[in-house]
Amino acid sequence: MSDPLKYVGQPIARVDGPAKVTGKARFTVDVQPPGTLVCRILRSPHPHARILGIDISAAQKLPGVKAVVTADDTLKIKHGFVETPRYPADQYPLAVGVVRHVGEEIAAVAAVDEHTAEAALKLIKVEYEILPAVFDPEEAMKADAPEVHPSHPKVTEPFRNIAGKTETGWGDVDQGLAESDYVRTDRFESHLRTHGYLEPQATVASWEDGKLNVWTSSMGPFIKRKKLAQTLGLPLSAVRVHKSYVGGAFGGKIDLFSHEFCAALLSMKTGRPVKVVVSREEIFAAYRHGQPLIVELTTGVKKDGSIVAQRIRTINNCGAYKGSGVVVIFLSWGFAMATYRIPNMAYEGFAVYTNNTVRCPQRGHGAPQMRFAIESQMDMIAEEIGLDPVAIRLVNARLPDEQLPNGDNVHNCGLVECIEKAAERINLRERYGSSRNKAAEGGSLRRGVGIGVSAYFGGSLIYPNSSSVIVKLNDDGSLIILTGSLDIGQGAETILTQIVAEELQVPISQISIMAADTETTPVDIGVWISGNAYVTGNAAREAAMAVRHKILEIAAQELETETCQLVLSEKAVSVTGAPERRMSYAEIYEASVRSRRGDPIIGEGHWRTMRDVPTHPSLATAKGRWTENYAFDAQAAEVEVDIETGKARLVRAVTAHDCGFPINPLNVDGQIDGQVSMALGHAFLEEVMMENGRTLNPSWLEYRMPTIGEMALSESIDVITESYVVGQPYRTKEVGEGYVSAILAAIANALYDAVGVRLYTTPFTPERILKALKEKAQADSGNA
Amino acid sequence: MHLPRFTYVRPGSRDEAAGLLDTFGKAAVLVAGGTDLFPRMKYRISTPEYLVSLSGVTRFLPALDEDGALRIDALMSLGDLSRSPIVRTHAPLVSQAATCVASGQIRNAATLGGNLCLECRCLYYNQSHTFQFVEPCFKLGGDLCYFAPKGNRCWAIFASDVAPALLSLDTVICVTGGPGKQRRFPVAELYTGDALSPLTLLPSEIITEIIVPSAFGTGRHSFRKFSRRKGYEFAGLSVAVALQVADDGRTCRDARIAVGSVAGGPVRAAAAEAGLPGQDLSNSETVRSAAATAAQEIRPIAHHGYQAAHLRHCLEVEVLRALTEAAGPAPLADV
Ligand SMILES: Cc1cc2nc3c(=O)[nH]c(=O)nc-3n(C[C@H](O)[C@H](O)[C@H](O)COP(=O)(O)OP(=O)(O)OC[C@H]3O[C@@H](n4cnc5c(N)ncnc54)[C@H](O)[C@@H]3O)c2cc1C
Ligand code: SF4
């Protein structure tokens, strides 16, 4: 029996907490080098227009204006969320010739203050030729629709505006459906939501002596460095992205944003630091949001509920450029196949250009939309064939060590246990169906329960594909971690510190962490694709292990014993059974420098997922391995509906999750609560309301994110399937994205359980619920 | 977003403030808590050269007149209103309505007078018009309406929560237009109903206080706010009901039903009210038919993502709930 873990797995308080609560943490907006200019950006008022001319002369003459840039001042190099041979970069940082969505960036000014910068924007004259625009993806696919961009050359269907297509499958779906005992087809639609990160996007750029220094609100400095260098025509070495704390991102800060490019270009033009802080309104009305998906789903099952075949067609309203729209149609296939065994599958997904703002990942990146569809339909099927929602899921749920169609393996998959535990906690088997349409006390409130399941990948291959960490021993025995990872509020710095603390038995308070600087810290994959805890975490463990080896070697040599006789504790090494034979790390450091020609004990560690897999899977065919780590979860919801007003709310959420093991249970619970709140916003409240490409509610007030008043009771149940052993690689799974999905489906199912109506479109507004209730009443009375 | 440039003046009295408003004319705007005005200034839909602030004016605490009417300083914050024992005793509906506004922090800055003088709201209007809805609509002096492109009027919503409460209590508004230029009138006369120019106040007039008569103030009442979130949100609609009940505890003597967020000003459901005196309030048919009448006579305007038909349906539901709640056993004055 190995020693119990002291740091990993413990509810350790956040290492960035004190800096944040005392206001010392430096966010980008706090970076203010002397002489900083203010940048503001001119945006398109039109959803689709040709730019006939831009006259910046009056703006340039305005006193206090230091520079004005348009596409003509740029190298006209494109960038994109995806940059592959099939999906090359497609977006200019400043519009060239055409604007394709309201808010698209046309010009930028740098001025001495905000008032001057704003006045300058008003002086820029742009002549437009308005072009016809299209906003609905199915409209945009029609042969006579306005063309946002030509369809992808490899797409053979006669559709317009196809940005990309994913097509994959196995088995014979037609035959599978023919052999099924029960088949149904449904169509689900999800709506446009946004991330709601509290810190608005902000960038400071400072061009000094041939080097571009950048502070920016991001999700990883290395990808920003790459895209800035690329679009500005600079070598990577000429761009340094410094660390700033980040106030939340949820997927919304990965891509290169025009404001980052403009701040950099304007600093290069003026030779002065340039700062841009994007307004909340710009973020709502011009920035990247999540992806509204249409999912058409045909499923055939046997009498026992086992899935025989599934045909899925998704249509993604992907906005004016590819963004991550072509990725979501691939991912949503992955979110369809990972949870249940599907012997025959045919999947096609279309990303369709429209004159809406560009899309980017948003926590779950297609999973909430896909799970909402699949799990809703699962309950409908169960009801038709007379199974309960738990039974039908248990029949289909993947078991440990199953091989997935893409070559991945689910390893220690805990899905069955998750389903059992979530159902049991909310007493689903007994309650489901028992109170449908019954008021507790004769009032207008109805309650119901429901369940959903989901799976989510952790870490995948995407630039820069790997993470490295350096751990340095100080001469007083304390440690320094150098990591390119970035704490965006999710606790990255804390868990890396815990891992290093565990491997080396150094108290958390004795470890400092230097993070997220492209020049002083090693490369990191970035805190997205749910990879930090696994990829960077293993790199940190490897680095600590390298230090551990050196410490043990020196100690063995000095204490004249074997390394296997030594134990580490409290910044010291001692001989097993002879605690008086002991060396502190400070003494070991001194001995190492003395006896190893100055070696101060530095360890480095590297990690890359799926070491034998050359690259990420194909977005077009879904061929190729995707990940080593699937997290699984089952979530149960209790929902209350007021049948008179149609208002519904989430009362209680239960999350039974297999996240491998929780490196920090506090962080895990925080992530779960955050996802429950995000999902209930998705279900009931949040919607970017748009009309012809313009946003009607670009404010916190009207976007209606949940507040504490809407938050539901959130409970979590750990299903531990992996373990952490000091000195060994671990395979933990993700917790940051996977739990926004099953709970959304569970809410939809609980709503049905409460009042007997099925909603196929999110959000579940009072209007929609009342309408469905009315239709049901009419149908019921027709049947009576 | 940041405020545009302006000159800030901070007079020591309300009369002085009225005088300054008179002097500066159209270039000046009065500010109390600023929670309605500052967001509009950040959006540049209000760009006054001068801000005449009431923050330097001495305030008085709410007090009872000899006849039992409650006088409340228009500068009282909504937070104080919701907490004040005397208001909770003598005009509980007012403190309930105040408690429904926005959020705790905003209520602590927001004033009663400012709440009564809110600018009307519309999704197309409450934005900065830098790249969206750039052409000015009627409300911004232009000649189009984004909300109803075929119409020729403004459909913005008067969304104050406290105004319907005051309307249901027959509250009196006291204003000053400078020394010797005081007047008082029923709160209903404060509103034009026209979203383009919702208030009847003269440009230099300031609301100084309100008087809640005892008749309704301590009677049976209910305030209901229909919105999507529990806080930090304007009402989809709000309903204030005040009832005077005969000694038998069930016969209605007089009734007020006021509704907010359905039009360019708070409105009363006059026909529904008229049907109630003499009726037995414990009869569920009575209240049901009053609610149905209210939903007949008031036609809510679609706004902020709410469809008109849905609001109308919810109006009936909420009026019914409010009437039922108010007609129930006499509420404790301070709950
Ligand atoms: C996020 C948010 C949510 C909100 N939610 C709600 C809500 O749910 N319900 C609601 O009712 N309101 C809401 N409000 C609006 C506003 O905060 C309140 O109505 C508040 O009471 C306004 O008071 P104030 O003192 O801050 O007004 P100010 O902004 O100072 O003034 C508002 C207007 O009234 C005029 N004015 C102020 N005082 C006087 C006076 N004594 N005499 C004459 N004119 C005067 C001003 O010139 C100005 O035009 C919300 C505001 C925000 C920002
Ligand atoms: S309703 Fe009024 S504020 Fe709204 S767009 Fe029309 S004119 Fe403007």
Side-chain angles (χ1 to χ4, degrees), chain A residues 43-46 102-103 113-116 118 122 279-282 285-286 444 642-647 649 684-686 689 691 693-707 709-710 763-767 770, chain B residues 1-5 42-44 102 106 121-124 126-134 146-147 149 224-234 236 288 303-311 313-314 317-318 320-321:
Chain A
R43 300 179 178 281
S44 168
H46 304 297
V102 169
D113 60 32
E114 255 170 330
H115 295 280
T116 312
E118 252 157 43
K122 291 213 179 90
S279 75
R280 183 58 59 181
E281 203 183 26
E282 287 175 291
S444 61
D642 183 331
I643 56 163
E644 286 174 8
T645 60
K647 264 180 78 163
R649 70 185 180 99
F684 298 118
L685 293 162
E686 295 177 38
M689 297 185 227
E691 188 178 278
R694 296 182 178 87
T695 304
L696 297 180
N697 56 339
S699 74
W700 288 129
L701 184 58
E702 272 114 13
Y703 178 69
R704 297 187 179 116
M705 252 166 69
T707 68
E710 284 69 44
F764 312 137
T765 58
E767 278 97 335
L770 275 190
Chain B
M1 268 179 276
H2 56 127
L3 288 169
R5 294 200 164 106
K42 287 186 173 179
Y43 283 150
R44 308 292 188 266
I106 292 177
R121 301 181 64 84
C122 163
L123 288 176
Y124 302 88
N126 294 95
Q127 305 210 346
S128 60
H129 300 261
T130 48
F131 63 93
Q132 294 209 117
F133 309 107
V134 180
Y146 292 103
F147 170 73
R224 299 195 59 90
K225 176 168 174 171
F226 179 75
S227 60
R228 298 281 297 279
R229 285 190 295 197
K230 285 211 182 104
Y232 200 74
E233 187 169 317
F234 283 93
R288 211 170 278 285
H303 69 94
H304 297 91
Y306 298 100
Q307 294 159 13
H310 179 65
L311 286 177
H313 169 87
C314 290
V317 173
E318 296 297 352
L320 176 59
R321 288 179 179 184

Side-chain angles (χ1 to χ4, degrees), chain B residues 23-53:
Chain B
T23 313
F24 297 136
K26 280 205 165 72
V29 165
L30 186 69
V31 62
T35 61
D36 176 53
L37 180 65
F38 293 152
R40 278 188 280 127
M41 288 174 65
K42 287 186 173 179
Y43 283 150
R44 308 292 188 266
I45 57 184
S46 180
T47 48
E49 250 177 85
Y50 297 93
L51 276 190
V52 178
S53 167

Side-chain angles (χ1 to χ4, degrees), chain A residues 287-466:
Chain A
Y287 273 56
R288 292 161 196 219
H289 303 318
Q291 325 232 3
L293 286 189
I294 298 169
V295 178
E296 289 167 1
L297 186 62
T298 300
T299 306
V301 298
K302 286 287 186 195
K303 283 199 190 79
D304 68 350
S306 57
I307 299 171
V308 186
Q310 203 157 49
R311 171 173 286 127
I312 305 180
R313 185 172 192 255
T314 61
I315 295 175
N316 178 24
N317 183 342
C318 115
Y321 297 92
K322 282 198 278 286
S324 77
V326 293
V327 182
V328 143
I329 53 171
F330 155 76
L331 291 174
S332 56
W333 158 79
F335 300 132
M337 64 87 194
T339 50
Y340 301 135
R341 278 179 301 280
I342 309 165
N344 303 285
M345 153 84 104
Y347 175 92
E348 66 175 8
F350 293 95
V352 185
Y353 292 120
T354 55
N355 294 108
N356 291 300
T357 52
V358 188
R359 316 303 192 200
C360 71
Q362 177 176 0
R363 203 184 213 174
H365 211 180
Q369 299 92 317
M370 185 51 82
R371 297 316 305 171
F372 162 54
I374 290 180
E375 296 294 306
S376 296
Q377 196 190 49
M378 204 67 175
D379 268 24
M380 293 186 250
I381 292 172
E383 181 164 303
E384 289 294 333
I385 62 174
L387 284 180
D388 74 62
V390 183
I392 195 167
R393 287 177 172 81
L394 289 177
V395 167
N396 291 293
R398 292 207 183 266
L399 301 169
D401 296 322
E402 271 188 38
Q403 197 73 5
L404 298 179
N406 62 344
D408 283 347
N409 191 291
V410 301
H411 301 299
N412 299 331
C413 157
L415 181 55
V416 165
E417 197 179 337
C418 289
I419 296 172
E420 298 274 16
K421 289 204 160 143
E424 185 186 296
R425 176 73 68 89
I426 211 155
N427 201 6
L428 193 100
R429 280 192 175 95
E430 215 167 281
R431 290 183 63 190
Y432 187 81
S434 68
S435 63
R436 190 160 307 159
N437 268 324
K438 287 188 203 132
E441 283 140 20
S444 61
L445 301 180
R446 303 288 181 272
R447 283 201 179 188
V449 289
I451 192 168
V453 312
S454 179
Y456 209 85
F457 73 106
S460 192
L461 291 172
I462 191 159
Y463 179 87
N465 293 315
S466 70

